[in-house]
């Protein structure tokens, strides 16, 4: 009979994903009341802000895929969120002239007005946070998060590329199916790989 393990594995590192989750919730407690006053969900605000940022930078519209990536909203969820926002009159959606399968999403006049109003309030909260914990600390947090996201994001992309380059032996010599041919000819839109995303929220 095997002897009992007298040396159980030791957790030497703090739970970083949990700490980041706790930090996010603490931050959103500062901003969520502002969104609630305007009847916005966290996801809706992220989309409004992303569209406003793009518009300010000279890009009048974004596609749903781009919004999903920028706002960390999964592909199955983004369509429903955009539909609801269109019902509320916050955004406009229209088919692209060059490709009717693609959709351009832009802020409506009402959405743009709401964005400007909220941005003033959000920036005031950021200023209050800087006064409370210090501008230097805020900048250090931004810099550290940029490093973490940049490094881990690049690593994840390398893993995806490596996995995509390795094909199972059984599929290397297999003839393309009728469905596969249709996809390659553009008759059937292939499902886009979605990254595993937490239903994260930010201001």
């Amino acid at each position: 009979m095997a002897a009992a393990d007298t040396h159980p594995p030791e957790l030497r590192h703090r739970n970083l994903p949990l700490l980041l989750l706790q930090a996010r919730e603490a931050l959103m407690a500062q901003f969520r009341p502002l969104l609630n006053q305007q009847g916005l969900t966290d996801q809706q605000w992220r989309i409004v802000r992303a569209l406003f940022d793009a518009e300010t930078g000279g890009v009048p519209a974004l596609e749903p895929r781009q919004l999903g990536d920028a706002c960390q909203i999964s592909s199955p969820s983004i369509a429903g969120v955009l539909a609801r926002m269109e019902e509320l009159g916050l955004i406009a959606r229209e088919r692209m002239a060059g490709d009717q399968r693609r959709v351009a999403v832009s802020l409506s006049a009402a959405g743009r007005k709401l964005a400007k109003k909220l941005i003033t309030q959000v920036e005031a909260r950021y200023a209050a946070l800087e006064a409370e914990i210090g501008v230097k600390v805020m900048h250090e947090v931004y810099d550290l998060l940029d490093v973490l996201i940049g490094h881990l994001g690049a690593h994840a992309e390398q893993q995806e590329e490596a996995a995509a380059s390795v094909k199972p032996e059984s599929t290397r010599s297999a003839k393309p199916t009728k469905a596969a041919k249709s996809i390659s000819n553009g008759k059937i839109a292939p499902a886009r790989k979605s990254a595993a995303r937490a239903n994260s929220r930010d201001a």
Side-chain angles (χ1 to χ4, degrees), residues 152-163:
L152 295 182
H155 183 64
E157 288 180 2
Q158 291 172 359
Q159 288 184 319
E160 287 183 3
E161 291 173 359

Side-chain angles (χ1 to χ4, degrees), residues 2-159:
D5 187 356
T6 57
H7 300 285
E10 178 185 358
L11 285 169
R12 296 182 296 106
H13 295 85
R14 298 174 69 189
N15 190 332
L16 184 56
L18 180 59
L19 289 171
L20 291 173
L21 183 62
Q22 291 171 339
R24 178 179 70 85
E25 287 304 313
L27 276 172
M28 284 311 301
Q30 304 292 316
F31 296 102
R32 195 171 286 124
L34 302 178
L35 306 185
N36 291 342
Q37 289 175 6
Q38 304 301 325
L40 282 182
T41 66
D42 301 350
Q43 289 183 332
Q44 288 170 347
W45 166 240
R46 293 207 304 271
I47 290 172
V48 168
R49 175 165 178 161
L51 289 173
F52 188 85
D53 284 344
E55 192 175 274
T56 303
V59 181
L62 296 174
E63 295 183 59
R65 173 186 56 79
Q66 294 173 310
L67 283 170
D69 290 342
C71 302
Q72 293 294 283
I73 301 174
S74 65
S75 295
S77 298
I78 191 72
V81 177
L82 292 176
R84 177 58 179 159
M85 293 180 71
E86 190 173 35
E87 290 175 3
L88 294 172
L90 297 174
I91 63 167
R93 293 188 293 177
E94 61 178 310
R95 300 285 179 182
M96 291 187 176
D99 188 343
Q100 291 294 301
R101 296 170 300 179
R102 298 169 64 187
V103 176
V105 183
S106 60
L107 282 176
S108 65
R112 193 174 299 108
K113 181 179 179 180
L114 179 61
K116 291 178 180 178
K117 179 179 180 179
L118 264 173
I119 285 170
T120 300
Q121 298 174 349
V122 165
E123 283 300 314
R125 277 309 305 149
Y126 275 119
L129 281 172
E130 287 177 342
E132 185 176 345
I133 67 175
V135 174
K136 182 180 178 181
V137 172
M138 288 283 285
H139 287 176
E140 288 174 348
V141 170
Y142 281 127
D143 291 341
L144 290 172
L145 288 174
D146 284 340
V147 170
L148 182 66
I149 293 169
H151 178 76
L152 295 182
H155 183 64
E157 288 180 2
Q158 291 172 359
Q159 288 184 319

